[in-house]
Amino acid sequence: MSSNDTTNTPVTTGQPEAIQAVPVRHPGRWVSGVIILVIVVLMIRSVATNKNFEWGVVGDYLFDDSIIQGLLKTLYLTVISMVIGVVLGVILAVMRLSKNPLVSSASWFYIWVFRGTPLLVQIIFWFNLSALYKVITFGTPFISLNANDFITPFLAGMLALGLNEGAYMSEIVRAGILSVDEGQQEASSALGMSRLQTMRRIILPQAMRVIVPPTGNETISMLKNTALVSVIAVPELLYSAQIIYSRTYATIPLLIVASIWYLVITSIMSFGQYYLERYYARGSTRNLPETPIQKLKRVLTSNRRQPPPPAPPSSEMHLPGSLGGLR
């Protein structure tokens, strides 16, 4: 082979040429986005310009002392009722999974009664407990309480909310326990751990990934369900608003005030629930979901100019030797 035959002969390496990506257009997204934006703007304009909402009255009573006191009572009632519900739910879930048929049946009966009757009925029932029992002794003659004095409206509402929540939390906890592989319990038994130790140290920590999300939803629902105790004159947020608008006849503005505070508290709870779910999801997924701050940072940085892609490798080959350079 002579050098004249090979000097200007190109040699390819078999690498494909770089393909320039063409952005895909989505006209439907733009159209739907514009329609939703127009609807939102029209709704905001309608609400802001309607004088019947009486936004001045809303501002006057938003931080009123009675409203703030009612809000604190609502939060206190929510926390106490959820503590009762969670503790009772864990106990009922363990009882439901017991191999003792009497214990399991007792748990099933409790869940059946409290999930099968409306919460409002339970609240009114506990409030009128003195019609059934004049004196409460707790099974011992040394304690004797007058039911009319002992069952206050707040205590009746707390018992109704907490005991009702325990029935729902028991099913949530039971689902979380059943989600843990049975081999975990067998391994702990082989290590000599008791059933209680296995449940406390092995099963429940792993079941939290399943238990936390619905528990957060139940907490938010509990906050809203506290409004039902207004029927027995518990001075929570809604009842405080009702007392004011029964005197001033500003019904709609006071209901808006109560709704604003409910939205604020539920938003804070949802934010905390998100990070709690993210914490317990660490061992179940490689890539944790982005936080709201991370999502915002990604959106802002994606709008910046991206650096140009690296140039594709050259298809020319240079061979040393007497042949010179192959081009």
Side-chain angles (χ1 to χ4, degrees):
M1 180 182 295
S2 62
S3 61
N4 294 333
D5 297 333
T6 60
T7 302
N8 298 322
T9 303
V11 177
T12 60
T13 60
Q15 296 179 351
E17 296 182 359
I19 301 176
Q20 186 176 3
V22 179
V24 180
R25 301 182 183 277
H26 302 280
R29 296 181 183 178
W30 288 96
V31 173
S32 60
V34 170
I35 292 175
I36 294 175
L37 182 61
V38 170
I39 294 175
V40 171
V41 171
L42 292 176
M43 292 179 62
I44 293 176
R45 179 178 177 273
S46 175
V47 172
T49 57
N50 192 338
K51 296 181 180 180
N52 295 325
F53 282 95
E54 301 182 61
W55 292 109
V57 179
V58 172
D60 293 338
Y61 286 100
L62 188 61
F63 296 99
D64 187 79
D65 290 340
S66 59
I67 294 294
I68 298 301
Q69 291 297 325
L71 176 63
L72 295 177
K73 184 74 71 173
T74 294
L75 294 176
Y76 181 66
L77 188 60
T78 300
V79 172
I80 296 298
S81 300
M82 278 305 301
V83 170
I84 294 174
V86 170
V87 173
L88 188 59
V90 173
I91 296 174
L92 290 172
V94 175
M95 291 174 60
R96 183 78 181 274
L97 296 173
S98 175
K99 296 181 180 180
N100 188 328
L102 184 60
V103 174
S104 177
S105 299
S107 175
W108 176 87
F109 180 78
Y110 180 96
I111 297 170
W112 174 69
V113 170
F114 281 89
R115 287 204 310 171
T117 55
L119 178 57
L120 184 59
V121 174
Q122 297 176 30
I123 292 173
I124 299 174
F125 179 87
W126 283 104
F127 181 69
N128 293 279
L129 186 65
S130 59
L132 298 176
Y133 299 98
K134 302 298 182 181
V135 178
I136 300 176
T137 60
F138 295 102
T140 173
F142 301 102
I143 300 177
S144 179
L145 301 175
N146 189 307
N148 287 320
D149 298 332
F150 180 72
I151 303 296
T152 62
F154 181 83
L155 182 60
M158 182 186 67
L159 288 175
L161 293 173
L163 297 179
N164 179 266
E165 185 61 32
Y168 288 92
M169 282 302 304
S170 66
E171 293 299 287
I172 294 174
V173 175
R174 186 171 69 92
I177 294 174
L178 293 177
S179 66
V180 181
D181 188 79
E182 295 181 358
Q184 301 285 337
Q185 186 171 356
E186 296 175 357
S188 59
S189 299
L191 293 175
M193 299 178 65
S194 64
R195 181 178 176 82
L196 181 60
Q197 290 176 333
T198 301
M199 185 64 63
R200 182 168 56 90
R201 299 181 180 180
I202 306 297
I203 304 299
L204 286 179
Q206 298 183 64
M208 290 300 293
R209 179 176 56 87
V210 179
I211 295 174
V212 166
T215 302
N217 295 334
E218 288 294 321
T219 305
I220 294 175
S221 297
M222 176 64 72
L223 175 73
K224 296 180 291 184
N225 287 337
T226 55
L228 295 175
V229 300
S230 61
V231 299
I232 57 175
V234 176
E236 44 78 51
L237 179 58
L238 179 60
Y239 187 78
S240 300
Q242 289 176 335
I243 292 298
I244 296 176
Y245 73 64
S246 65
R247 184 179 67 251
T248 61
Y249 301 101
T251 304
I252 298 299
L254 267 300
L255 291 178
I256 293 176
V257 168
S259 300
I260 290 174
W261 280 117
Y262 281 123
L263 288 173
V264 169
I265 301 302
T266 53
S267 299
I268 296 174
M269 287 183 174
S270 300
F271 190 76
Q273 177 187 353
Y274 173 83
Y275 279 95
L276 193 60
E277 291 179 12
R278 193 172 185 270
Y279 174 80
Y280 282 105
R282 292 179 303 172
S284 61
T285 179
R286 294 183 178 179
N287 299 321
L288 294 176
E290 293 181 329
T291 64
I293 298 177
Q294 292 174 341
K295 291 180 181 179
L296 179 61
K297 185 182 297 184
R298 176 173 54 82
V299 171
L300 295 177
T301 56
S302 63
N303 295 329
R304 299 178 182 176
R305 185 177 180 181
Q306 300 293 334
S314 176
S315 60
E316 298 181 355
M317 178 180 292
H318 299 277
L319 297 177
S322 60
L323 297 182
L326 296 182
R327 298 178 180 270

PDB file of all heavy atoms in Angstrom, residues 189-215:
ATOM      1  N   SER A 189     -37.428 -13.395  68.407  1.00  0.00           N
ATOM      2  CA  SER A 189     -37.724 -14.512  69.320  1.00  0.00           C
ATOM      3  C   SER A 189     -36.518 -15.428  69.457  1.00  0.00           C
ATOM      4  O   SER A 189     -36.240 -15.958  70.540  1.00  0.00           O
ATOM      5  CB  SER A 189     -38.931 -15.295  68.803  1.00  0.00           C
ATOM      6  OG  SER A 189     -40.078 -14.476  68.737  1.00  0.00           O
ATOM      7  N   ALA A 190     -35.781 -15.611  68.356  1.00  0.00           N
ATOM      8  CA  ALA A 190     -34.578 -16.447  68.423  1.00  0.00           C
ATOM      9  C   ALA A 190     -33.505 -15.810  69.289  1.00  0.00           C
ATOM     10  O   ALA A 190     -32.674 -16.513  69.873  1.00  0.00           O
ATOM     11  CB  ALA A 190     -34.031 -16.678  67.012  1.00  0.00           C
ATOM     12  N   LEU A 191     -33.531 -14.482  69.408  1.00  0.00           N
ATOM     13  CA  LEU A 191     -32.563 -13.787  70.258  1.00  0.00           C
ATOM     14  C   LEU A 191     -32.983 -13.763  71.715  1.00  0.00           C
ATOM     15  O   LEU A 191     -32.283 -13.198  72.553  1.00  0.00           O
ATOM     16  CB  LEU A 191     -32.364 -12.355  69.757  1.00  0.00           C
ATOM     17  CG  LEU A 191     -31.689 -12.211  68.383  1.00  0.00           C
ATOM     18  CD1 LEU A 191     -31.668 -10.754  67.954  1.00  0.00           C
ATOM     19  CD2 LEU A 191     -30.273 -12.775  68.416  1.00  0.00           C
ATOM     20  N   GLY A 192     -34.149 -14.327  72.031  1.00  0.00           N
ATOM     21  CA  GLY A 192     -34.616 -14.392  73.406  1.00  0.00           C
ATOM     22  C   GLY A 192     -35.402 -13.183  73.854  1.00  0.00           C
ATOM     23  O   GLY A 192     -35.608 -13.005  75.062  1.00  0.00           O
ATOM     24  N   MET A 193     -35.847 -12.352  72.930  1.00  0.00           N
ATOM     25  CA  MET A 193     -36.624 -11.159  73.293  1.00  0.00           C
ATOM     26  C   MET A 193     -38.076 -11.550  73.524  1.00  0.00           C
ATOM     27  O   MET A 193     -38.628 -12.417  72.832  1.00  0.00           O
ATOM     28  CB  MET A 193     -36.533 -10.103  72.187  1.00  0.00           C
ATOM     29  CG  MET A 193     -35.121  -9.613  71.923  1.00  0.00           C
ATOM     30  SD  MET A 193     -35.042  -8.403  70.567  1.00  0.00           S
ATOM     31  CE  MET A 193     -35.996  -7.066  71.288  1.00  0.00           C
ATOM     32  N   SER A 194     -38.700 -10.906  74.500  1.00  0.00           N
ATOM     33  CA  SER A 194     -40.107 -11.170  74.778  1.00  0.00           C
ATOM     34  C   SER A 194     -40.974 -10.504  73.714  1.00  0.00           C
ATOM     35  O   SER A 194     -40.505  -9.705  72.901  1.00  0.00           O
ATOM     36  CB  SER A 194     -40.483 -10.641  76.165  1.00  0.00           C
ATOM     37  OG  SER A 194     -40.360  -9.225  76.208  1.00  0.00           O
ATOM     38  N   ARG A 195     -42.275 -10.824  73.737  1.00  0.00           N
ATOM     39  CA  ARG A 195     -43.185 -10.247  72.752  1.00  0.00           C
ATOM     40  C   ARG A 195     -43.302  -8.731  72.924  1.00  0.00           C
ATOM     41  O   ARG A 195     -43.358  -7.987  71.942  1.00  0.00           O
ATOM     42  CB  ARG A 195     -44.567 -10.903  72.888  1.00  0.00           C
ATOM     43  CG  ARG A 195     -45.593 -10.397  71.880  1.00  0.00           C
ATOM     44  CD  ARG A 195     -46.909 -11.129  72.043  1.00  0.00           C
ATOM     45  NE  ARG A 195     -47.934 -10.607  71.150  1.00  0.00           N
ATOM     46  CZ  ARG A 195     -48.070 -10.946  69.882  1.00  0.00           C
ATOM     47  NH1 ARG A 195     -47.229 -11.824  69.338  1.00  0.00           N
ATOM     48  NH2 ARG A 195     -49.035 -10.418  69.144  1.00  0.00           N
ATOM     49  N   LEU A 196     -43.303  -8.268  74.176  1.00  0.00           N
ATOM     50  CA  LEU A 196     -43.378  -6.837  74.426  1.00  0.00           C
ATOM     51  C   LEU A 196     -42.114  -6.127  73.959  1.00  0.00           C
ATOM     52  O   LEU A 196     -42.183  -5.047  73.342  1.00  0.00           O
ATOM     53  CB  LEU A 196     -43.609  -6.581  75.913  1.00  0.00           C
ATOM     54  CG  LEU A 196     -43.747  -5.104  76.340  1.00  0.00           C
ATOM     55  CD1 LEU A 196     -44.927  -4.455  75.617  1.00  0.00           C
ATOM     56  CD2 LEU A 196     -43.901  -5.000  77.850  1.00  0.00           C
ATOM     57  N   GLN A 197     -40.956  -6.715  74.215  1.00  0.00           N
ATOM     58  CA  GLN A 197     -39.710  -6.123  73.752  1.00  0.00           C
ATOM     59  C   GLN A 197     -39.634  -6.100  72.230  1.00  0.00           C
ATOM     60  O   GLN A 197     -39.163  -5.131  71.628  1.00  0.00           O
ATOM     61  CB  GLN A 197     -38.518  -6.897  74.327  1.00  0.00           C
ATOM     62  CG  GLN A 197     -38.314  -6.724  75.826  1.00  0.00           C
ATOM     63  CD  GLN A 197     -37.186  -7.584  76.347  1.00  0.00           C
ATOM     64  OE1 GLN A 197     -36.867  -8.639  75.782  1.00  0.00           O
ATOM     65  NE2 GLN A 197     -36.580  -7.145  77.444  1.00  0.00           N
ATOM     66  N   THR A 198     -40.109  -7.156  71.610  1.00  0.00           N
ATOM     67  CA  THR A 198     -40.109  -7.206  70.147  1.00  0.00           C
ATOM     68  C   THR A 198     -41.008  -6.121  69.556  1.00  0.00           C
ATOM     69  O   THR A 198     -40.649  -5.456  68.586  1.00  0.00           O
ATOM     70  CB  THR A 198     -40.596  -8.584  69.674  1.00  0.00           C
ATOM     71  OG1 THR A 198     -39.727  -9.596  70.205  1.00  0.00           O
ATOM     72  CG2 THR A 198     -40.604  -8.671  68.159  1.00  0.00           C
ATOM     73  N   MET A 199     -42.161  -5.952  70.178  1.00  0.00           N
ATOM     74  CA  MET A 199     -43.090  -4.937  69.677  1.00  0.00           C
ATOM     75  C   MET A 199     -42.534  -3.531  69.864  1.00  0.00           C
ATOM     76  O   MET A 199     -42.665  -2.677  68.973  1.00  0.00           O
ATOM     77  CB  MET A 199     -44.426  -5.080  70.402  1.00  0.00           C
ATOM     78  CG  MET A 199     -45.513  -4.159  69.901  1.00  0.00           C
ATOM     79  SD  MET A 199     -45.988  -4.490  68.197  1.00  0.00           S
ATOM     80  CE  MET A 199     -46.636  -6.169  68.378  1.00  0.00           C
ATOM     81  N   ARG A 200     -41.881  -3.299  71.001  1.00  0.00           N
ATOM     82  CA  ARG A 200     -41.413  -1.951  71.320  1.00  0.00           C
ATOM     83  C   ARG A 200     -40.124  -1.597  70.600  1.00  0.00           C
ATOM     84  O   ARG A 200     -39.950  -0.455  70.183  1.00  0.00           O
ATOM     85  CB  ARG A 200     -41.227  -1.824  72.833  1.00  0.00           C
ATOM     86  CG  ARG A 200     -40.796  -0.454  73.307  1.00  0.00           C
ATOM     87  CD  ARG A 200     -40.910  -0.334  74.817  1.00  0.00           C
ATOM     88  NE  ARG A 200     -40.150  -1.385  75.490  1.00  0.00           N
ATOM     89  CZ  ARG A 200     -38.875  -1.266  75.851  1.00  0.00           C
ATOM     90  NH1 ARG A 200     -38.227  -0.153  75.592  1.00  0.00           N
ATOM     91  NH2 ARG A 200     -38.264  -2.248  76.489  1.00  0.00           N
ATOM     92  N   ARG A 201     -39.223  -2.567  70.429  1.00  0.00           N
ATOM     93  CA  ARG A 201     -37.908  -2.264  69.874  1.00  0.00           C
ATOM     94  C   ARG A 201     -37.754  -2.629  68.396  1.00  0.00           C
ATOM     95  O   ARG A 201     -36.904  -2.047  67.709  1.00  0.00           O
ATOM     96  CB  ARG A 201     -36.826  -2.994  70.674  1.00  0.00           C
ATOM     97  CG  ARG A 201     -36.755  -2.599  72.142  1.00  0.00           C
ATOM     98  CD  ARG A 201     -35.638  -3.361  72.842  1.00  0.00           C
ATOM     99  NE  ARG A 201     -35.552  -2.995  74.258  1.00  0.00           N
ATOM    100  CZ  ARG A 201     -34.659  -3.514  75.104  1.00  0.00           C
ATOM    101  NH1 ARG A 201     -33.775  -4.404  74.665  1.00  0.00           N
ATOM    102  NH2 ARG A 201     -34.656  -3.133  76.367  1.00  0.00           N
ATOM    103  N   ILE A 202     -38.540  -3.558  67.905  1.00  0.00           N
ATOM    104  CA  ILE A 202     -38.344  -4.047  66.535  1.00  0.00           C
ATOM    105  C   ILE A 202     -39.514  -3.677  65.630  1.00  0.00           C
ATOM    106  O   ILE A 202     -39.323  -3.047  64.577  1.00  0.00           O
ATOM    107  CB  ILE A 202     -38.146  -5.586  66.527  1.00  0.00           C
ATOM    108  CG1 ILE A 202     -37.004  -5.984  67.486  1.00  0.00           C
ATOM    109  CG2 ILE A 202     -37.880  -6.070  65.126  1.00  0.00           C
ATOM    110  CD1 ILE A 202     -35.660  -5.427  67.093  1.00  0.00           C
ATOM    111  N   ILE A 203     -40.726  -4.036  66.036  1.00  0.00           N
ATOM    112  CA  ILE A 203     -41.876  -3.919  65.134  1.00  0.00           C
ATOM    113  C   ILE A 203     -42.328  -2.463  64.979  1.00  0.00           C
ATOM    114  O   ILE A 203     -42.425  -1.937  63.855  1.00  0.00           O
ATOM    115  CB  ILE A 203     -43.040  -4.797  65.635  1.00  0.00           C
ATOM    116  CG1 ILE A 203     -42.577  -6.254  65.789  1.00  0.00           C
ATOM    117  CG2 ILE A 203     -44.213  -4.700  64.667  1.00  0.00           C
ATOM    118  CD1 ILE A 203     -42.102  -6.891  64.513  1.00  0.00           C
ATOM    119  N   LEU A 204     -42.609  -1.808  66.099  1.00  0.00           N
ATOM    120  CA  LEU A 204     -43.152  -0.444  66.025  1.00  0.00           C
ATOM    121  C   LEU A 204     -42.221   0.553  65.349  1.00  0.00           C
ATOM    122  O   LEU A 204     -42.688   1.385  64.556  1.00  0.00           O
ATOM    123  CB  LEU A 204     -43.529   0.046  67.425  1.00  0.00           C
ATOM    124  CG  LEU A 204     -44.803  -0.573  68.021  1.00  0.00           C
ATOM    125  CD1 LEU A 204     -45.063  -0.017  69.419  1.00  0.00           C
ATOM    126  CD2 LEU A 204     -46.011  -0.318  67.119  1.00  0.00           C
ATOM    127  N   PRO A 205     -40.893   0.536  65.622  1.00  0.00           N
ATOM    128  CA  PRO A 205     -40.032   1.487  64.889  1.00  0.00           C
ATOM    129  C   PRO A 205     -40.085   1.307  63.373  1.00  0.00           C
ATOM    130  O   PRO A 205     -40.037   2.296  62.633  1.00  0.00           O
ATOM    131  CB  PRO A 205     -38.626   1.173  65.443  1.00  0.00           C
ATOM    132  CG  PRO A 205     -38.878   0.629  66.808  1.00  0.00           C
ATOM    133  CD  PRO A 205     -40.138  -0.172  66.684  1.00  0.00           C
ATOM    134  N   GLN A 206     -40.197   0.068  62.903  1.00  0.00           N
ATOM    135  CA  GLN A 206     -40.285  -0.149  61.460  1.00  0.00           C
ATOM    136  C   GLN A 206     -41.677   0.172  60.919  1.00  0.00           C
ATOM    137  O   GLN A 206     -41.824   0.543  59.747  1.00  0.00           O
ATOM    138  CB  GLN A 206     -39.924  -1.603  61.125  1.00  0.00           C
ATOM    139  CG  GLN A 206     -38.513  -1.984  61.491  1.00  0.00           C
ATOM    140  CD  GLN A 206     -38.186  -3.410  61.085  1.00  0.00           C
ATOM    141  OE1 GLN A 206     -38.181  -3.747  59.914  1.00  0.00           O
ATOM    142  NE2 GLN A 206     -37.923  -4.257  62.075  1.00  0.00           N
ATOM    143  N   ALA A 207     -42.684   0.017  61.754  1.00  0.00           N
ATOM    144  CA  ALA A 207     -44.054   0.293  61.305  1.00  0.00           C
ATOM    145  C   ALA A 207     -44.357   1.781  61.247  1.00  0.00           C
ATOM    146  O   ALA A 207     -45.379   2.168  60.662  1.00  0.00           O
ATOM    147  CB  ALA A 207     -45.056  -0.391  62.241  1.00  0.00           C
ATOM    148  N   MET A 208     -43.504   2.613  61.813  1.00  0.00           N
ATOM    149  CA  MET A 208     -43.775   4.051  61.834  1.00  0.00           C
ATOM    150  C   MET A 208     -43.867   4.640  60.441  1.00  0.00           C
ATOM    151  O   MET A 208     -44.574   5.618  60.215  1.00  0.00           O
ATOM    152  CB  MET A 208     -42.681   4.767  62.633  1.00  0.00           C
ATOM    153  CG  MET A 208     -42.728   4.497  64.123  1.00  0.00           C
ATOM    154  SD  MET A 208     -44.276   5.021  64.879  1.00  0.00           S
ATOM    155  CE  MET A 208     -44.146   6.787  64.695  1.00  0.00           C
ATOM    156  N   ARG A 209     -43.140   4.059  59.487  1.00  0.00           N
ATOM    157  CA  ARG A 209     -43.198   4.569  58.112  1.00  0.00           C
ATOM    158  C   ARG A 209     -44.607   4.480  57.546  1.00  0.00           C
ATOM    159  O   ARG A 209     -45.034   5.331  56.764  1.00  0.00           O
ATOM    160  CB  ARG A 209     -42.228   3.780  57.232  1.00  0.00           C
ATOM    161  CG  ARG A 209     -42.203   4.200  55.783  1.00  0.00           C
ATOM    162  CD  ARG A 209     -41.142   3.423  55.033  1.00  0.00           C
ATOM    163  NE  ARG A 209     -41.343   1.986  55.165  1.00  0.00           N
ATOM    164  CZ  ARG A 209     -42.128   1.270  54.370  1.00  0.00           C
ATOM    165  NH1 ARG A 209     -42.787   1.863  53.386  1.00  0.00           N
ATOM    166  NH2 ARG A 209     -42.260  -0.033  54.535  1.00  0.00           N
ATOM    167  N   VAL A 210     -45.354   3.466  57.959  1.00  0.00           N
ATOM    168  CA  VAL A 210     -46.732   3.294  57.503  1.00  0.00           C
ATOM    169  C   VAL A 210     -47.705   4.030  58.418  1.00  0.00           C
ATOM    170  O   VAL A 210     -48.762   4.488  57.967  1.00  0.00           O
ATOM    171  CB  VAL A 210     -47.079   1.787  57.432  1.00  0.00           C
ATOM    172  CG1 VAL A 210     -48.517   1.568  56.995  1.00  0.00           C
ATOM    173  CG2 VAL A 210     -46.123   1.082  56.477  1.00  0.00           C
ATOM    174  N   ILE A 211     -47.362   4.173  59.688  1.00  0.00           N
ATOM    175  CA  ILE A 211     -48.286   4.753  60.661  1.00  0.00           C
ATOM    176  C   ILE A 211     -48.319   6.276  60.573  1.00  0.00           C
ATOM    177  O   ILE A 211     -49.380   6.887  60.728  1.00  0.00           O
ATOM    178  CB  ILE A 211     -47.901   4.295  62.079  1.00  0.00           C
ATOM    179  CG1 ILE A 211     -48.087   2.784  62.226  1.00  0.00           C
ATOM    180  CG2 ILE A 211     -48.706   5.030  63.140  1.00  0.00           C
ATOM    181  CD1 ILE A 211     -47.589   2.226  63.550  1.00  0.00           C
ATOM    182  N   VAL A 212     -47.181   6.907  60.314  1.00  0.00           N
ATOM    183  CA  VAL A 212     -47.088   8.367  60.406  1.00  0.00           C
ATOM    184  C   VAL A 212     -48.008   9.100  59.438  1.00  0.00           C
ATOM    185  O   VAL A 212     -48.731  10.020  59.850  1.00  0.00           O
ATOM    186  CB  VAL A 212     -45.620   8.811  60.229  1.00  0.00           C
ATOM    187  CG1 VAL A 212     -45.528  10.315  59.975  1.00  0.00           C
ATOM    188  CG2 VAL A 212     -44.817   8.449  61.466  1.00  0.00           C
ATOM    189  N   PRO A 213     -48.050   8.772  58.129  1.00  0.00           N
ATOM    190  CA  PRO A 213     -48.896   9.568  57.227  1.00  0.00           C
ATOM    191  C   PRO A 213     -50.377   9.600  57.608  1.00  0.00           C
ATOM    192  O   PRO A 213     -50.954  10.699  57.719  1.00  0.00           O
ATOM    193  CB  PRO A 213     -48.671   8.892  55.855  1.00  0.00           C
ATOM    194  CG  PRO A 213     -47.332   8.266  55.969  1.00  0.00           C
ATOM    195  CD  PRO A 213     -47.224   7.798  57.378  1.00  0.00           C
ATOM    196  N   PRO A 214     -51.030   8.455  57.856  1.00  0.00           N
ATOM    197  CA  PRO A 214     -52.440   8.553  58.263  1.00  0.00           C
ATOM    198  C   PRO A 214     -52.634   9.179  59.637  1.00  0.00           C
ATOM    199  O   PRO A 214     -53.672   9.788  59.901  1.00  0.00           O
ATOM    200  CB  PRO A 214     -52.924   7.099  58.240  1.00  0.00           C
ATOM    201  CG  PRO A 214     -51.700   6.267  58.359  1.00  0.00           C
ATOM    202  CD  PRO A 214     -50.618   7.045  57.686  1.00  0.00           C
ATOM    203  N   THR A 215     -51.632   9.051  60.516  1.00  0.00           N
ATOM    204  CA  THR A 215     -51.745   9.699  61.821  1.00  0.00           C
ATOM    205  C   THR A 215     -51.734  11.218  61.678  1.00  0.00           C
ATOM    206  O   THR A 215     -52.469  11.933  62.374  1.00  0.00           O
ATOM    207  CB  THR A 215     -50.603   9.244  62.747  1.00  0.00           C
ATOM    208  OG1 THR A 215     -50.646   7.817  62.886  1.00  0.00           O
ATOM    209  CG2 THR A 215     -50.727   9.881  64.119  1.00  0.00           C
TER     210      THR A 215
END
